[in-house]
Amino acid sequence: MGATEAFTTLNERQREAATASARPLLIIAGAGTGKTNTLAHRVAHLLLAGAAPERILLLTFTRRAALEMTRRAGRIAAQAHRNVRLSWSGTFHSVANRLIRRHHAAVGLAESFSVLDRGDAADLMDVVRHELGLSKTEKRFPRKDTCVAIYSHRVNTQGSLEATLREAFPWCEEWEAELKRLFAAYVERKLAHQALDYDDLLLYWHAMMEDAALAREIAGRFDHVLVDEYQDTNVLQAEILRKLKPTGEGLTVVGDDAQAIYSFRAATVDNILNFEKQFGNPDLTPLIVTLEENYRSSQAVLDAANALMREAARQYRKDLRAAKPEGPKPRYVTVADDAAQAQYVVGRVLEAREEGVDLKRQAVLFRSSHHSDVLELELVRRNIPYVKYGGLKFLEAAHVKDALAVLRWADNPRNRVAAWRALQLLPGVGPKGAERAWTAFEASSWQWAALKSGSPPFDALLHGLADPAGGWSGQMQRVREWYAPVMERKYDAPEVRAADLVQLERIAATYGTREAFLTDMALDPPQASSDLAGDPLLDEDYLVLSTVHSAKGQEWDAVYLLNVADGNFPNEFATGKPELIEEERRLLYVAMTRAKTKLDLVAPLKYYVTQQSRMGDRHVYGARSRFMTRAVMRCFDEVAYGEPDRAGAPQGATPAVDVAGRLRGMWA
């Protein structure tokens, strides 16, 4: 098949987007409409039209998305006998890291600066917080993770600290002066350690684009810039794009305003809604192409999703049409309480399995991670294996962080956070011992030959790892072998943890340098067994449990959504602001459009409240979600699970105790 024939596989709208001219292009890609395929064909079209691969910048939000799009584009281009390699494709943060390292001197950084992951940034924030005496205040001061979240929100929205506290952290408003002092000290500490956190990467890239000479050099490097998931960009990212492509010529962005659900990460739906205003000019009118043909879901599912979004305030109007055969009408199921909800879902899951739908082709989704607690107990009781997404990540496991801390310290001798953790792995070394060793090392101007930790094998390991002549190959293996007895001393289940480190060693072997490996581990960490609520290897099949946020981009044959009631959809904390209510609507839309054929929305009538201390039956009644209007409900079959029959017992249920029989027997 030739290159021209490859584009005939696209539908009319996809082909229009893929082959458009270099004017500003916005592709509104509804759920399941082939966004990735369209963007990959767009890249391939540019390559086949003569664009130099090294002058194309592809920006995504995950490394996996960048690799997939690059692979598809390369395959299409290869059909025209042209082998290409996109050298500038990756996440916003990974591209920022590359550019900063190229221009490190211009921004006052050493080439060997470290990138802190979220955990390390929180630890460093906590050190500064403690040194400033903020951990011993009379009133409750925000904890380290909250402080990092506030700092991140302020950086990415480019607003004031006052605005961040007022809009996103109102319970912390009284600490504005102290937080400002904390963040100033935190910045100074990072500069002293030659360390950048996750948010600093965008901040430094943005600052480079504010300098006329640097902006010309960086922008001049790229003829075409393509951005995936544009609805998830924040203010900082949008401003970087405007500096890269001021007129919009050569800019392509793809996204769906109906799937903008990450405002808690400072993403703003305004970027995609205001695209025409931001990049429109009299000489170069932006082109907007809307993809509406859906290749994932049945029309019955799409009818419900369309009805939900028709009632949204601000949006690009779209009406999704199914390319697949008709399926059953979605269900809106009322149940008595959490226990009945769990029983209903398990029953439906097993019923679908008997019909040939594997467990792993089914998913239970929920607004918050703890919403699945009762269901998980029922799954264990019924011996149904499952995995749960939205839990502990691979690099959050203590033993993995320990091993990486050794490598991070070797990579940047000024990295106090890594040093602090690594030193306390040694027998008999606590915070005071680590402080003494670090102070002496710092006094020697961070010379590895002067390191005196009290453990000669550890000192020799660091000295060898840091030696430029030693090379990167085999370093992760050396760390793993040194760490093995430490892990046995510190943690339970060392065999399981050792397997994680073997996996980490395999990942490390795929990287050409230590810096590239450590940076990717900080910016786009892999998923691994510690994501799982149970071990899926115990069975060939397993049910998927996931928060809606973690489910974005996924799809299953059958989807069961828990707790569809006001307080959850929309969340009770969103009800004060119209823009947050609209985001909650989009979150429900994302959940519904994960389903291919079967969709069940489950609504408990009663929620038990365990944290309240009053005596008696502690519960609240669930109100129907305000999103489930008459127009939306017409798209659902309404089912009442366990509804009492005329005799007062649930339909189909057998009483556990036959009291009626005993009463009759008394008078027989």
Side-chain angles (χ1 to χ4, degrees):
M1 182 169 63
T4 304
E5 287 79 2
F7 286 81
T8 62
T9 62
L10 303 177
N11 65 42
E12 185 180 348
R13 287 286 166 266
Q14 290 174 331
R15 192 159 49 251
E16 180 186 0
T19 60
S21 65
R23 63 202 272 200
L25 173 62
L26 168 61
I27 305 171
I28 298 294
T33 57
K35 167 181 68 69
T36 301
N37 194 36
T38 304
L39 192 56
H41 276 79
R42 174 71 176 159
V43 174
H45 169 74
L46 294 174
L47 292 169
L48 295 173
E54 68 277 7
R55 296 187 63 78
I56 294 177
L57 173 61
L58 175 61
L59 294 167
T60 65
F61 278 84
T62 67
R63 178 176 50 191
R64 181 179 299 176
L67 291 173
E68 174 63 14
M69 253 174 275
T70 301
R71 184 185 64 80
R72 290 197 198 187
R75 188 180 62 203
I76 298 163
Q79 292 168 1
H81 308 290
R82 185 174 179 196
N83 293 319
V84 295
R85 178 178 173 272
L86 293 179
S87 54
W88 284 94
S89 67
T91 66
F92 270 93
H93 293 83
S94 65
V95 169
N97 174 67
R98 285 180 64 186
L99 290 171
I100 295 165
R101 290 192 189 276
R102 284 181 178 237
H103 302 282
H104 63 92
V107 292
L109 290 171
E111 190 175 7
S112 63
F113 69 83
S114 298
V115 178
L116 304 175
D117 65 19
R118 294 288 190 187
D120 287 344
D123 288 343
L124 182 58
M125 183 75 77
D126 206 32
V127 169
V128 179
R129 177 177 173 271
H130 182 71
E131 290 176 353
L132 294 177
L134 296 172
S135 57
K136 295 181 179 179
T137 54
E138 193 172 311
K139 288 186 178 181
R140 181 172 59 102
F141 189 78
R143 299 197 128 188
K144 62 179 183 179
D145 292 318
T146 303
C147 292
V148 169
I150 294 170
Y151 176 87
S152 178
H153 189 278
R154 156 72 180 87
V155 167
N156 287 299
T157 59
Q158 287 293 282
S160 65
L161 177 57
E162 179 187 8
T164 284
L165 294 174
R166 183 179 64 252
E167 294 167 11
F169 302 89
W171 63 94
C172 301
E173 282 187 281
E174 64 178 304
W175 297 108
E176 182 182 351
E178 290 82 359
L179 285 167
K180 191 172 289 187
R181 187 159 54 97
L182 170 63
F183 297 153
Y186 172 63
V187 167
E188 290 300 329
R189 190 61 56 89
K190 284 186 296 180
L191 291 171
H193 293 176
Q194 288 288 291
L196 272 60
D197 64 26
Y198 193 72
D199 301 306
D200 288 336
L201 292 168
L202 291 184
L203 202 58
Y204 271 74
W205 188 3
H206 181 264
M208 289 194 297
M209 300 306 291
E210 292 286 305
D211 179 84
L214 271 177
R216 275 195 306 274
E217 183 176 346
I218 294 171
R221 186 183 291 276
F222 307 112
D223 295 327
H224 300 278
V225 177
L226 301 97
V227 185
D228 189 21
E229 303 285 9
Y230 189 62
Q231 78 280 350
D232 294 337
T233 55
N234 58 40
V235 171
L236 211 52
Q237 289 161 327
E239 289 185 0
I240 289 170
L241 290 174
R242 281 198 291 274
K243 294 291 185 180
L244 282 171
K245 292 293 174 187
T247 67
E249 185 176 5
L251 177 65
T252 297
V253 303
V254 184
D256 182 9
D257 54 297
Q259 297 185 67
I261 59 173
Y262 293 115
S263 68
F264 65 93
R265 294 182 189 165
T268 172
V269 70
D270 288 343
N271 285 343
I272 193 167
L273 292 176
N274 295 333
F275 180 82
E276 288 179 278
K277 187 185 299 182
Q278 292 171 349
F279 292 99
N281 63 79
D283 300 323
L284 213 59
T285 307
L287 173 64
I288 300 178
V289 179
T290 303
L291 308 183
E292 296 178 298
E293 189 168 357
N294 178 285
Y295 297 93
R296 174 189 301 155
S297 305
S298 67
Q299 191 60 51
V301 170
L302 296 181
D303 286 343
N306 288 335
L308 175 70
M309 289 310 297
R310 277 191 203 105
E311 299 176 358
R314 297 173 63 214
Q315 61 172 306
Y316 287 102
R317 297 282 174 181
K318 64 187 78 70
D319 195 35
L320 298 181
R321 304 180 304 275
K324 66 183 294 183
E326 186 63 50
K329 208 170 182 181
R331 285 181 160 200
Y332 178 86
V333 187
T334 53
V335 297
D337 52 23
D338 280 346
Q341 177 173 246
Q343 290 163 13
Y344 171 79
V345 169
V346 170
R348 286 283 283 174
V349 165
L350 294 177
E351 180 184 305
R353 182 173 176 269
E354 289 303 310
E355 294 171 356
V357 183
D358 294 340
L359 293 178
K360 65 178 67 175
R361 289 161 54 199
Q362 305 182 59
V364 183
L365 306 183
F366 29 86
R367 178 67 177 76
S368 301
S369 186
H370 69 274
H371 287 173
S372 65
D373 290 351
V374 176
L375 174 64
E376 290 179 54
L377 292 174
E378 184 68 11
L379 290 171
V380 170
R381 189 180 73 80
R382 303 280 284 271
N383 195 30
I384 299 174
Y386 67 92
V387 298
K388 183 176 180 180
Y389 296 94
L392 184 66
K393 299 295 186 292
F394 182 48
L395 295 191
E396 291 171 4
H399 55 291
V400 177
K401 288 181 71 68
D402 288 347
L404 287 175
V406 177
L407 278 177
R408 284 189 170 121
W409 191 17
D411 196 60
N412 178 3
R414 300 187 183 206
N415 190 333
R416 184 181 174 182
V417 174
W420 197 257
R421 187 177 192 110
L423 286 166
Q424 291 185 72
L425 297 175
L426 304 177
V429 177
K432 290 185 178 178
E435 178 65 33
R436 282 195 300 270
W438 170 260
T439 301
F441 181 58
E442 186 178 35
S444 73
S445 298
W446 300 282
Q447 297 298 313
W448 290 111
L451 178 62
K452 297 291 185 290
S453 68
S455 170
F458 178 72
D459 296 348
L461 172 70
L462 264 296
H463 195 280
L465 294 174
D467 184 358
W472 159 237
S473 179
Q475 287 196 10
M476 187 63 227
Q477 179 184 351
R478 291 166 62 190
V479 172
R480 179 177 61 81
E481 291 171 349
W482 171 84
Y483 181 69
V486 178
M487 186 168 58
E488 290 185 9
R489 172 171 53 83
K490 284 177 65 74
Y491 303 115
D492 56 1
E495 302 85 1
V496 176
R497 295 173 186 269
D500 280 346
L501 296 186
V502 170
Q503 180 177 347
L504 193 65
E505 185 181 332
R506 289 178 184 145
I507 294 170
T510 65
Y511 287 83
T513 66
R514 181 175 60 206
E515 177 272 315
F517 168 66
L518 292 175
T519 299
D520 259 9
M521 291 304 97
L523 299 184
D524 200 4
Q527 309 292 306
S529 57
S530 50
D531 278 322
L532 310 180
D535 188 350
L537 301 179
L538 295 175
D539 200 286
E540 63 182 358
D541 198 12
Y542 47 86
L543 181 67
V544 176
L545 274 57
S546 176
T547 61
V548 181
H549 285 99
S550 295
K552 187 168 174 287
Q554 305 299 314
E555 58 183 42
W556 295 274
D557 286 2
V559 168
Y560 314 93
L561 182 61
L562 304 185
N563 297 332
V564 183
D566 253 33
N568 294 315
F569 291 97
N571 184 272
E572 59 184 319
F573 298 113
T575 54
K577 296 181 179 179
E579 65 272 19
L580 293 183
I581 292 287
E582 287 305 304
E583 179 163 334
E584 292 292 310
R585 180 191 303 278
R586 298 192 292 266
L587 191 66
L588 179 56
Y589 172 84
V590 167
M592 291 165 61
T593 53
R594 300 311 95 198
K596 293 183 179 180
T597 307
K598 293 185 176 181
L599 173 64
D600 288 28
L601 271 52
V602 190
L605 297 174
K606 187 165 31 176
Y607 295 88
Y608 289 95
V609 185
T610 57
Q611 67 265 36
Q612 294 183 7
S613 58
R614 66 178 186 272
M615 301 298 292
D617 183 18
R618 300 187 294 273
H619 64 269
V620 295
Y621 287 98
R624 174 173 285 185
S625 169
R626 68 192 70 185
F627 299 139
M628 305 306 293
T629 61
R630 287 184 181 180
V632 175
M633 289 299 296
R634 280 197 290 270
C635 301
F636 287 83
D637 280 335
E638 294 191 59
V639 178
Y641 173 72
E643 187 177 46
D645 61 18
R646 291 180 183 176
Q651 293 174 351
T654 301
V657 181
D658 188 9
V659 179
R662 291 187 184 187
L663 290 173
R664 294 186 183 106
M666 289 174 65
W667 309 106

